[in-house]
């Protein structure tokens, strides 16, 4: 079988940030790297679940909601994927930054967790830890530029 594109990225050199993982027609997949791969520090599972609920809720209620295809965690627990259609790169960066700022300031009941009817694991969330997990990447994305979206960019 042919090796998929994401397995050709040198994970030993990946820094925290946001990258264009691939473009398939009019769909862009962004790699939002929140932890350095293979360093022993991974996203906390309940926090990651909370980030997923809040990030997806924010993105799907933003001005770019029609262009948000998917928001979800990486299986390796080092970040998230954001798939968009017809969302300019600058807007995707800002959307991600704004979503993480939203998470940092969020208080109250996490959307989609009121009952087992809304979520397949509705009891496994951790808002306080989610806020901690997004803090570093939020700071990185504050002044992020489109030129940094390339895996080859040395920033």
């Amino acid at each position: 079988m042919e090796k998929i594109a994401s397995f050709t990225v040198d994970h030993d050199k990946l820094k925290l940030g946001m990258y264009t993982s691939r473009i398939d027609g009019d769909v862009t997949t962004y790699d939002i790297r929140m932890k350095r791969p293979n360093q022993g520090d991974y996203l906390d599972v309940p926090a990651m679940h909370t980030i997923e609920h809040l990030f997806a809720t924010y993105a799907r209620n933003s001005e770019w909601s029609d262009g948000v295809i998917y928001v979800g965690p990486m299986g390796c627990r080092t970040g998230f994927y954001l798939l968009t259609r017809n969302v300019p790169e600058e807007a995707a960066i800002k959307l991600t930054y704004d979503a993480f700022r939203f998470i940092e300031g969020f208080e109250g009941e996490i959307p989609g967790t009121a009952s087992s009817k809304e979520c397949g694991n509705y009891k496994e969330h951790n808002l306080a830890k989610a806020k901690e997990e997004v803090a570093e990447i939020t700071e990185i994305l504050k002044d992020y530029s489109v030129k940094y979206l390339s895996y080859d960019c040395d920033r």
Side-chain angles (χ1 to χ4, degrees):
M1 281 197 245
E2 192 174 318
K3 188 182 280 192
I4 63 173
S6 62
F7 295 158
T8 65
V9 174
D10 187 345
H11 286 68
D12 290 335
K13 295 180 181 178
L14 266 181
K15 296 178 182 177
L16 305 189
M18 184 170 172
Y19 303 94
T20 302
S21 177
R22 56 184 297 138
I23 298 173
D24 299 288
D26 63 350
V27 175
T28 302
T29 301
Y30 293 100
D31 168 341
I32 302 160
R33 201 56 66 151
M34 300 169 67
K35 301 285 185 177
R36 295 255 350 255
N38 302 306
Q39 299 298 306
D41 179 28
Y42 304 100
L43 291 170
D44 174 77
V45 174
M48 186 170 62
H49 192 192
T50 301
I51 294 166
E52 176 192 18
H53 276 240
L54 292 172
F55 189 178
T57 297
Y58 184 88
R60 292 191 176 121
N61 282 281
S62 73
E63 66 180 293
W64 298 104
S65 61
D66 290 344
V68 175
I69 303 209
Y70 176 74
V71 174
M74 296 176 179
C76 63
R77 296 177 30 224
T78 62
F80 279 77
Y81 291 113
L82 169 66
L83 279 71
T84 64
R85 175 179 286 127
N86 300 322
V87 175
E89 294 173 320
E90 298 89 352
I93 294 168
K94 184 173 181 346
L95 172 64
T96 303
Y97 172 75
D98 290 347
F100 290 153
R101 293 278 300 153
F102 170 74
I103 293 166
E104 285 184 318
F106 188 83
E107 297 296 333
E109 186 175 313
I110 299 159
T113 64
S115 74
S116 61
K117 291 180 182 181
E118 294 181 341
C119 176
N121 193 2
Y122 77 103
K123 292 182 179 181
E124 188 176 50
H125 285 273
N126 187 331
L127 179 58
K129 186 68 174 171
K131 291 178 179 195
E132 288 177 28
E133 296 284 26
V134 300
E136 188 172 9
I137 191 67
T138 303
E139 187 61 29
I140 289 168
L141 293 177
K142 182 170 66 173
D143 297 313
Y144 218 71
S145 168
V146 168
K147 67 183 178 184
Y148 300 143
L149 289 174
S150 170
Y151 285 117
D152 297 326
C153 180
D154 187 27
R155 53 178 171 83

